[in-house]
Amino acid sequence: MPTTVLVTGGAGFIGSHTCVELLTHGYDVVVVDDHSNSSPHALERVAKTAGRPVTAAYETDLRDRRALNAVFDAHRVDAVIHFAARKAVGESVQIPVAYYDTNVGGTTALLAAMEQHDVRRLVFSSSCSVYGDATKVPLTEADPVAPTNPYATTKLLCERITGDVCRRLPGLSVLALRYFNPVGAHPSGHLGEDPRGVPNNVMPYLAQVAVGRRDRLRVFGDDYPTPDGTGVRDYIHVMDVAEGHRVALEHLDDEHGMRVFNLGTGTGTSVLELLAAFSAACGREIPHEITGRRPGDVPALVADPGAVARAWGWTTRRDLTDMCRDAWRFQELNPSGYPG
Ligand code: NAD
Ligand code: WQD
């Protein structure tokens, strides 16, 4: 069982919640994050929430190979969880080179440092976006992949690259987890999603409308072939995602090589259903208007979470009510996000 875990992107949304989950389960955690999309204050919140701090936090770009090697020299790392990446789909269309550079270049730099330091366990953040314009739901890991934007392509490339490295390094174990739509916050309200600028994703946007930072939610299309016409997604509580990573660590040694799993709940929720659930959580109607479709959106993306349940005996535990309650608690307690 790994005891010291290197978490890249550990100050980010999913990374910070995973750090808490690991620290409260006895793991020692080392973080590498350049804070290009996070606040260093997130790690103070991690320490407060978990009751103990991470062992070390390096403000380092993953692609700085000298600095990354120094981190591996300084700690006996048993396993790596690799979150660090750029993640905005629309932006990836505008600045594709930056996305390939950070996401693919960061991953190859990490794989090189792991090989050099004989670290043989990796959990990689992949994404449901690799499935592209899914023609059926729910999606299993065996369904075809067909990325439709540079961001999604970087995730698929990283899966392929780690697969190639696994074939070359027989002792390497990699779990690539394809998350669907992570939302929510730690139930304490100390940690949550704090995007910079205008949120791209629906849940932080809703939370900012609810707290008065934005006037209304724009619902992107109500003419999809879904029950109420709005987009259907598989929202998964970020604490379930964090727990999924802790459980993944326990299963890295089950077999060598590359394995891919969906991380979702199997339940689809429409934008209007999400809006209603969030309104109930915060106790007021959230203003909204129906606008045109957002380019690139698909009608429905829902996971078949059966493979991970069969492999690990693990399923998600939190529902939409929990997701909205916890997202709202974080936003209400931190109306402007993290300080600084
Ligand atoms: P996030 O932006 O909150 O966290 C990513 C962290 O990585 C940030 O703290 C950022 O500062 C750091 N980072 C970025 N580039 C770096 C670099 N070159 N060197 C060091 N640190 C760097 O994003 P998140 O929502 O926590 O996502 C984590 C991972 O999960 C990403 O790989 C993302 O692609 C993947 N993912 C996210 C979602 C989602 O909806 N949030 C869904 C599927 C997959
Ligand atoms: C959800 C639904 C929108 C905003 C993204 C990435 C994906 C993965 C998860 C990283 C859709 C609607 C949204 C708004 C709206 N991330 N919406 N008004 O697009 O499913 O997935 O995050 O890997 O790769 O693409 O998430 O939260 O943006 O949208 O009506 O202001 O909400 O049309 O139906 P998405 P989202």
Side-chain angles (χ1 to χ4, degrees), residues 260-281:
V260 177
F261 287 113
N262 288 337
L263 225 51
T265 65
T267 300
T269 301
S270 75
V271 180
L272 292 181
E273 288 169 337
L274 182 66
L275 187 76
F278 203 94
S279 296

Side-chain angles (χ1 to χ4, degrees), residues 3-323:
T3 56
T4 297
V5 181
L6 173 65
V7 180
T8 77
F13 172 44
I14 304 172
S16 58
H17 290 79
T18 303
C19 286
V20 168
E21 175 74 10
L22 298 182
L23 288 166
T24 54
H25 285 81
Y27 292 90
D28 293 324
V29 176
V30 175
V31 168
V32 170
D33 197 306
D34 66 357
H35 301 301
S36 53
N37 197 39
S38 58
S39 163
H41 293 290
L43 292 177
E44 293 167 16
R45 298 287 183 94
V46 165
K48 182 176 169 182
T49 312
R52 68 188 187 100
V54 300
T55 304
Y58 296 89
E59 189 170 59
T60 296
D61 187 318
L62 209 54
R63 293 163 296 173
D64 180 343
R65 288 171 184 242
R66 186 191 299 245
L68 188 60
N69 277 318
V71 174
F72 279 93
D73 287 340
H75 304 275
R76 200 183 59 77
V77 172
D78 297 299
V80 178
I81 303 181
H82 177 32
F83 292 111
R86 293 174 181 260
K87 66 164 181 177
V89 169
E91 187 184 60
S92 79
V93 177
Q94 302 304 319
I95 50 169
V97 174
Y99 270 70
Y100 287 105
D101 200 11
T102 301
N103 294 8
V104 180
T107 300
T108 53
L110 178 65
L111 288 165
M114 286 177 62
E115 180 169 0
Q116 195 169 324
H117 291 83
D118 212 22
V119 177
R120 296 288 184 263
R121 299 185 186 99
L122 174 67
V123 183
F124 170 67
S125 295
S126 192
S127 165
C128 64
S129 60
V130 299
Y131 294 113
D133 295 339
T135 49
K136 72 158 213 3
V137 290
L139 289 153
T140 74
E141 295 80 353
D143 281 315
V145 286
T148 57
N149 56 72
Y151 165 74
T153 305
T154 67
K155 290 290 163 183
L156 186 59
L157 279 173
C158 289
E159 286 189 8
R160 297 254 157 95
I161 292 166
T162 45
D164 286 345
V165 178
C166 283
R167 279 182 280 283
R168 148 91 182 76
L169 282 181
L172 184 61
S173 297
V174 179
L175 282 165
L177 305 181
R178 293 176 176 166
Y179 324 145
F180 279 64
N181 287 56
V183 297
H186 191 275
S188 65
H190 297 317
L191 273 182
E193 188 167 12
D194 181 24
R196 298 189 165 178
V198 181
N200 293 309
N201 299 116
V202 66
M203 187 68 123
Y205 202 105
L206 262 175
Q208 292 194 8
V209 175
V211 83
R213 282 170 66 181
R214 314 214 170 260
D215 63 349
R216 75 192 87 115
L217 178 76
R218 283 159 190 82
V219 177
F220 296 146
D222 66 350
D223 56 352
Y224 284 106
T226 59
D228 66 18
T230 65
V232 167
R233 296 293 183 272
D234 185 340
Y235 298 98
I236 174 171
H237 197 296
V238 66
M239 290 309 301
D240 277 326
V241 178
E243 197 177 287
H245 285 75
R246 176 179 57 76
V247 175
L249 289 177
E250 295 167 9
H251 289 279
L252 274 170
D253 289 344
D254 291 353
E255 56 188 272
H256 292 147
M258 170 87 179
R259 285 164 287 160
V260 177
F261 287 113
N262 288 337
L263 225 51
T265 65
T267 300
T269 301
S270 75
V271 180
L272 292 181
E273 288 169 337
L274 182 66
L275 187 76
F278 203 94
S279 296
C282 70
R284 76 190 71 131
E285 282 304 309
I286 310 281
H288 73 280
E289 68 170 317
I290 310 285
T291 67
R293 293 183 180 190
R294 182 171 64 178
D297 271 351
V298 295
L301 273 181
V302 179
D304 178 336
V308 89
R310 288 187 293 277
W312 304 345
W314 178 82
T315 54
T316 58
R317 295 190 288 136
R318 297 154 179 96
D319 64 13
L320 192 66
T321 304
D322 302 319
M323 299 178 212

